């Protein structure tokens, strides 16, 4: 069980760090999934993109959906961008993932 919260102002590199952490887990052989709220359409519907242009595919999820519905059982690392836009139920979703011994990163 591991929860890491990346905080900072706009343009501080939160999405860049999220992508970097996901890439490190992929190199280690972990199965990862990226998630973002569907209201974040700045760079496209299903992509997390940094201001420098680095990007990864992501599940674009309604802010009131249960994110667990988008995570396969064999995924062990979940990376959530723009977590502040999800409604309060995200806290319970993340807690359940942690109880399942998942690693969760949020920015």
């Amino acid at each position: 069980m591991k929860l890491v919260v990346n905080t900072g102002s706009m343009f501080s590199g939160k999405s860049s760090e999220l992508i970097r952490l996901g890439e490190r887990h992929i190199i280690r052989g972990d199965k990862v999934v990226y998630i973002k709220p569907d209201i974040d359409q700045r760079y496209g519907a299903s992509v997390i993109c940094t201001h420098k242009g680095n990007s990864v595919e992501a599940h674009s999820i309604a802010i009131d959906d249960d994110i667990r519905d988008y995570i396969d059982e064999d995924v062990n690392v979940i990376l959530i961008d723009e977590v502040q836009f999800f409604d309060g139920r995200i806290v319970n979703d993340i807690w359940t993932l942690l109880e399942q011994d998942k690693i969760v990163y949020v920015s």
Side-chain angles (χ1 to χ4, degrees):
M1 165 187 331
K2 179 179 180 180
L3 172 63
V4 176
V5 180
N6 297 316
T7 62
S9 62
M10 289 178 62
F11 305 104
S12 64
K14 297 178 300 293
S15 296
S16 296
E17 179 65 3
L18 198 70
I19 291 171
R20 186 190 73 79
L21 290 165
E23 289 171 346
R24 291 188 55 96
H25 279 282
I26 291 168
I27 289 168
R28 283 184 25 183
D30 294 327
K31 185 161 183 194
V32 308
V33 65
Y34 291 92
I35 294 174
K36 65 178 252 178
D38 66 352
I39 62 172
D40 179 10
Q41 299 288 319
R42 292 172 294 171
Y43 301 103
S46 60
V47 66
I48 296 171
C49 189
T50 70
H51 296 292
K52 290 184 176 183
N54 297 330
S55 64
V56 293
E57 290 294 315
H59 290 289
S60 183
I61 300 175
I63 60 171
D64 58 351
D65 267 0
D66 186 334
I67 66 167
R68 297 170 296 173
D69 293 340
Y70 299 85
I71 301 169
D72 294 335
E73 193 171 312
D74 61 339
V75 169
N76 52 340
V77 180
I78 299 92
L79 302 107
I80 307 169
D81 198 35
E82 302 292 356
V83 69
Q84 74 273 12
F85 292 121
F86 286 97
D87 73 9
R89 289 180 273 189
I90 191 77
V91 174
N92 290 330
D93 295 348
I94 291 170
W95 184 252
T96 300
L97 293 168
L98 293 171
E99 288 176 332
Q100 296 171 352
D101 208 30
K102 307 287 186 185
I103 299 169
V104 181
Y105 295 95
V106 300
S107 289

